[in-house]
Amino acid sequence: MMRIVITSELAPDLVAELQNKHPELQLVFTTERELSQHLSEAEVLFVRRLTVEQLQQAPLLKMVQIPYAGMDQLPLAALQERGVLLANARIHGETISELTLGMMIALTRSFAEIHRNQQQHKWLRVPQQLLMGSTLALLGVGTIGGEIAKRAKCFGMKTLGFTLSGSSHPYIDESYSSNQLILQVSRADFLVAACPLTQETHHLINQTILQAMKPSAYILNIGRGPVIDEAALIAALQAQVIAGAALDVFEKEPLPVESPLWDMPNVLVFPHLAGNLEGNSRRAAQIFVENVSNLLAGSPLTCAVDLSKGY
């Protein structure tokens, strides 16, 4: 009897579906705090995070499923060494891409300044810019980056895509490898970080990249905070090296109250909510239920993670 340990949300009807399809399964529902008590016999985990120490307590583990896309809270190297399969949930493309376009519109249409003027009862016309005809550089063109590019094309934007492989994409006009970012970033009116956090992408956007950007350019981060060197970004914003930023993720979360980013008039701070959408937890759970069947059948996992690459 395969034991599956679950700390993530799993709706009753999906529990019933899993049990009806596979009555031989033993489902154990617990909390993150009590997870370690159930690891010794666990063969499958549906959890939000896992430590190296917890992995060592699970000698029978075959598969881990997480309910979101990012994997920086998982011991990827240890999972690979053990031969444990990992799947994530790539379900946030639509919601994050819509917010990203909203961020760009808010920046170019001076929404924050307009709102401040409204609060002070000031009738002032402020500068307005079009997205049409501007250039978007996307660092990462996976599920989320691809959806951003798709929507950007509807606004008449030119799209540049940067990935480790430099592979093409239907909604990307020009594709480059990530190490070519320094050569092309001066063309961008918007630089959007939409890539996973790996050793290669940590502080990939740094002082050198920021100094190469247009003074009129904006930077957005809807991926992972440490992809951007936050200290370098703050310095660039204070020195007006770039025009502004919209940030949904940060190197330390919650963003410390003393961070200068809170009070910068050219910065929009979001509390890591880009992927929040009613129904997402169910979509993630459906992938998990599907993957249990895949595992038992010996079929490839849906949203399988390549542990050698980290995404």
Side-chain angles (χ1 to χ4, degrees):
M1 179 178 289
M2 177 178 285
R3 175 171 288 196
I4 299 177
V5 178
I6 300 165
T7 64
S8 291
E9 184 177 343
L10 191 62
D13 64 307
L14 293 178
V15 173
E17 178 182 338
L18 196 55
Q19 291 177 324
N20 290 336
K21 284 183 178 179
H22 308 288
E24 74 279 13
L25 298 178
Q26 181 182 5
L27 305 183
V28 178
F29 295 89
T30 187
T31 63
E32 290 186 1
R33 179 174 294 182
E34 297 177 347
L35 175 61
S36 293
Q37 301 176 23
H38 305 279
L39 290 174
S40 62
E41 298 181 1
E43 295 177 70
V44 174
L45 295 177
F46 184 31
V47 295
R48 297 187 66 84
R49 53 186 59 84
L50 187 70
T51 66
V52 172
E53 292 74 23
Q54 288 173 323
L55 179 59
Q56 292 170 344
Q57 298 172 44
L60 305 180
L61 192 61
K62 296 180 175 68
M63 184 189 96
V64 176
Q65 173 86 51
I66 58 174
Y68 47 77
M71 292 155 290
D72 43 291
Q73 297 192 66
L74 298 172
L76 301 185
L79 288 169
Q80 183 180 17
E81 184 178 346
R82 282 272 304 274
V84 176
L85 301 176
L86 174 64
N88 61 0
R90 299 163 206 168
I91 56 175
H92 300 102
E94 292 86 358
T95 179
I96 293 180
S97 61
E98 285 196 13
L99 182 64
T100 303
L101 268 293
M103 287 173 164
M104 288 192 280
I105 292 172
L107 289 167
T108 55
R109 293 301 181 119
S110 305
F111 280 5
E113 185 176 355
I114 290 169
H115 184 60
R116 288 193 296 269
N117 289 339
Q118 177 185 340
Q119 292 177 312
Q120 298 173 40
H121 298 192
K122 290 183 178 179
W123 182 279
L124 295 175
R125 293 186 175 181
V126 295
Q128 302 282 285
Q129 303 171 47
L130 285 177
L131 296 186
M132 184 175 62
S134 62
T135 297
L136 167 63
L138 274 165
L139 186 54
V141 193
T143 302
I144 294 169
E147 290 293 332
I148 295 171
K150 178 180 179 180
R151 286 157 177 75
K153 296 306 294 179
C154 294
F155 280 84
M157 302 177 75
K158 184 178 183 66
T159 53
L160 313 179
F162 297 84
T163 60
L164 287 177
S165 64
S167 57
S168 62
H169 186 279
Y171 295 104
I172 295 294
D173 296 315
E174 299 177 22
S175 298
Y176 300 95
S177 61
S178 301
N179 59 16
Q180 293 177 289
L181 180 62
I182 186 61
L183 302 176
Q184 302 293 334
V185 73
S186 63
R187 300 169 57 194
D189 297 293
F190 300 91
L191 173 58
V192 175
C195 58
L197 178 61
T198 65
Q199 289 183 343
E200 291 79 13
T201 62
H202 183 267
H203 283 190
L204 185 55
I205 299 176
N206 50 33
Q207 182 181 16
T208 302
I209 296 295
L210 292 163
Q211 291 288 340
M213 294 177 69
K214 294 178 182 179
S216 59
Y218 297 97
I219 192 164
L220 294 81
N221 193 357
I222 45 77
R224 283 293 180 263
V227 170
I228 298 179
D229 181 339
E230 201 164 287
L233 175 61
I234 290 171
L237 289 164
Q238 289 173 332
Q240 298 183 332
V241 171
I242 58 174
L247 309 167
D248 186 53
V249 289
F250 304 86
E251 292 204 77
K252 184 178 180 180
E253 295 183 4
L255 182 65
V257 294
E258 66 272 13
S259 172
L261 293 169
W262 285 110
D263 299 309
M264 290 184 176
N266 57 344
V267 175
L268 300 177
V269 170
F270 292 75
H272 202 150
L273 52 68
N276 290 7
L277 187 68
E278 185 177 354
N280 271 354
S281 60
R282 181 175 181 84
R283 293 170 67 191
Q286 288 171 325
I287 293 172
F288 165 68
V289 170
E290 181 180 343
N291 274 338
V292 171
S293 295
N294 289 337
L295 178 67
L296 292 171
S299 302
L301 299 183
T302 300
C303 298
V305 174
D306 184 336
L307 289 168
S308 64
K309 295 179 180 179
Y311 57 89

